[in-house]
Amino acid sequence: MTTDDISGMGPLVARLSRGGQRLRHADRTHPWVLDTAVVVLVFLMFCLPDLIHDGVGDADSPPRVRVAFTHLPIAGMLVLQVGLVLPLLWRRRKPVVAFGVIAVVFVLQWSLGAAMRADIALLIALYSLALHGRLRQLPWACAVTAGAMVLVAVRASAAVSVWEALFFLLSTATAALALGLMVRIRRAQLAGLRERAARLEIERDQRSRLATATERTRVAREMHDIVGHNLSVIITLADAGAYASDLQPARGKEALQLIGDTGRQALGELRRVLGVLREAAGGPPDGPELSPQPGVVDIGALCATVRSAGLEVVYRTSGELDALDSGVQLTVYRIVQEALTNTLKHADSGTRVHLAILVEDSRLTIRVQDTGPAAPSGPPNEEGHGLVGMRERAALYGGTVSAGPADDGGWSVEAVLDLTPGSGGDR
């Protein structure tokens, strides 16, 4: 076969495929049309020739055939043909009933010694039973078919050898049965593939929705950290500036400058977060490049901002913090930011905060303890969004967060992260 022949088969195959799809759609819409067409086709191809030529064993047949088969009148032949062909109308809806009726008429016909071309209906019924019926019904249907074929072979023994006739008849019945099972298996495979494709599509949509929900949670956490911390600093500075404006105007002016710096920093971080969202949505970046995510190196500036709000912060580190990856550094920064924000909200002016970040082997510990007398407010046994956010961030790296009153007064927050490779990102 040449390349031109192969390329020329493409449109033909496409047309045949479209035609098959239209036929299947029409069959699902009007199933009785195909059933009626099968009955009409069997009658025209196999029943009508017997009626015209007066049966198989007519005058033109060989002498052995005329002796082997009984000649039936037209009326009797027509009744048997109706009994064989008409049940094919419900061969798909009730395959067992159709096969049973056809088998009874088939056995009655051969008990009379008559041979008709309409006997093909038994093979069609067996094929339909294998395709549409229950598999547990096939053994007895095969037994009935085998018994009927033995009867046919015995009746035809005057014209042909019993074993040759039996071999041919059983082979034909086996072919009809195998064809029905093959089509049934193929349809089951296609149905399984369609079901799997639908399930995969549903899973894809679910993963997309989960990813969207996760992204929304992450953005909400980022916005909470940025807005909550900076607003707490701004409010504290505003209160301090209002108090000092009459007594120490220079301190009031300094507070206003710090408020402006903090507001600009918050605005820059909000622009960065929203810019990441625009890039994730597929939009082209417009404007200058945004600053990177904050890390451990930015905690010093964070402590300076808190000090400007009136708190005393003692910050110390231990271990190789610069070797941490960016994800861990962002988590550490946000946990520290949230802990200091809670201290700003609930502690008194002049409170001392001890902040320690320790790296020991594959373990990172964050301790934030203040000396203020106040504990986080809220309903009993109810955690705020800040503590929940800290725990969610720590859980990404197999860590835990604990918070509560310190032994020597004040409030303490301790977070422990697991730095073992593979412990983060996939949790």
Side-chain angles (χ1 to χ4, degrees):
M1 182 177 295
T2 63
T3 306
D4 295 337
D5 295 335
I6 297 176
S7 61
M9 291 177 61
L12 177 60
V13 173
R15 286 194 294 270
L16 291 176
S17 177
R18 288 193 297 268
Q21 292 177 357
R22 285 194 291 267
L23 286 176
R24 286 191 294 270
H25 177 71
D27 183 44
R28 286 192 297 267
T29 306
H30 306 288
W32 58 270
V33 175
L34 179 60
D35 296 334
T36 305
V38 170
V39 172
V40 172
L41 184 63
V42 171
F43 178 81
L44 294 177
M45 293 184 60
F46 300 100
C47 297
L48 193 59
D50 283 346
L51 295 176
I52 295 176
H53 298 291
D54 198 12
V56 176
D58 55 6
D60 297 332
S61 303
R64 289 188 301 173
V65 176
R66 291 198 301 269
V67 172
F69 302 132
T70 303
H71 176 72
L72 292 178
I74 298 296
M77 186 182 302
L78 186 59
V79 171
L80 291 175
Q81 288 179 347
V82 171
L84 289 171
V85 177
L86 193 61
L88 294 178
L89 284 173
W90 59 83
R91 65 183 181 88
R92 294 191 294 179
R93 289 168 293 174
K94 298 180 179 179
V96 179
V97 176
F99 177 82
V101 173
I102 293 174
V104 169
V105 177
F106 183 89
V107 172
L108 175 62
Q109 168 208 327
W110 281 99
S111 298
L112 298 175
M116 293 188 298
R117 296 179 177 88
D119 292 337
I120 191 75
L122 182 66
L123 300 179
I124 298 176
L126 181 61
Y127 161 82
S128 300
L129 181 60
L131 178 58
H132 303 289
R134 298 180 180 177
L135 294 179
R136 65 183 182 183
Q137 298 168 342
L138 285 180
W140 70 261
C142 293
V144 171
T145 303
M149 295 307 173
V150 170
L151 176 61
V152 174
V154 171
R155 283 292 187 176
S157 59
V160 65
S161 170
V162 174
W163 297 109
E164 291 180 359
L166 192 60
F167 174 79
F168 173 77
L169 294 172
L170 291 180
S171 299
T172 307
T174 302
L177 178 66
L179 181 61
L181 291 175
M182 182 186 69
V183 176
R184 184 191 188 111
I185 293 173
R186 179 60 177 170
R187 289 184 179 180
Q189 290 176 342
L190 293 176
L193 290 175
R194 285 192 292 267
E195 181 181 357
R196 183 171 181 269
R199 186 169 61 252
L200 290 176
E201 185 175 357
I202 293 174
E203 291 177 356
R204 182 198 63 189
D205 295 339
Q206 290 177 345
R207 285 195 299 268
S208 177
R209 287 194 292 268
L210 287 175
T212 302
T214 303
E215 183 66 15
R216 287 177 178 174
T217 303
R218 185 189 68 82
V219 172
R221 190 185 302 125
E222 291 286 328
M223 299 290 286
H224 173 271
D225 293 340
I226 295 171
V227 175
H229 169 74
N230 289 286
L231 283 181
S232 298
V233 174
I234 290 173
I235 291 172
T236 304
L237 290 173
D239 293 340
Y243 176 78
S245 59
D246 296 332
L247 301 178
Q248 295 178 325
R251 295 287 294 176
K253 181 178 179 181
E254 181 182 356
L256 291 176
Q257 291 176 347
L258 291 173
I259 289 175
D261 294 338
T262 304
R264 281 188 290 272
Q265 180 184 357
L267 183 60
E269 292 190 13
L270 288 175
R271 285 177 176 173
R272 173 181 53 77
V273 173
L274 296 177
V276 171
L277 290 179
R278 286 196 298 268
E279 292 179 2
D286 50 352
E289 185 178 357
L290 299 171
S291 60
Q293 294 273 24
V296 175
V297 70
D298 299 302
I299 294 180
L302 179 65
C303 294
T305 304
V306 175
R307 291 189 189 101
S308 65
L311 300 183
E312 182 181 352
V313 181
V314 179
Y315 174 40
R316 68 184 181 91
T317 62
S318 176
E320 299 181 358
L321 298 180
D322 295 336
L324 301 176
D325 63 63
S326 58
V328 176
Q329 292 198 30
L330 176 62
T331 299
V332 172
Y333 181 88
R334 291 306 186 195
I335 291 176
V336 171
Q337 184 184 48
E338 182 60 35
L340 294 178
T341 300
N342 289 337
T343 302
L344 276 174
K345 289 179 179 178
H346 307 292
D348 295 335
S349 177
T351 298
R352 173 176 290 186
V353 181
H354 294 275
L355 168 63
I357 303 176
L358 311 175
V359 177
E360 300 173 350
D361 297 331
S362 60
R363 178 187 177 95
L364 187 147
T365 304
I366 305 170
R367 293 192 184 97
V368 182
Q369 181 176 348
D370 62 64
T371 59
S377 61
N381 301 324
E382 182 175 338
E383 297 179 349
H385 295 289
L387 184 57
V388 173
M390 285 190 288
R391 285 177 174 167
E392 288 180 353
R393 290 184 180 277
L396 293 175
Y397 294 92
T400 58
V401 175
S402 59
D407 296 336
D408 53 353
W411 191 259
S412 175
V413 176
E414 181 173 337
V416 180
L417 305 183
D418 184 9
L419 302 181
T420 305
S423 63
D426 56 348
R427 291 179 179 269

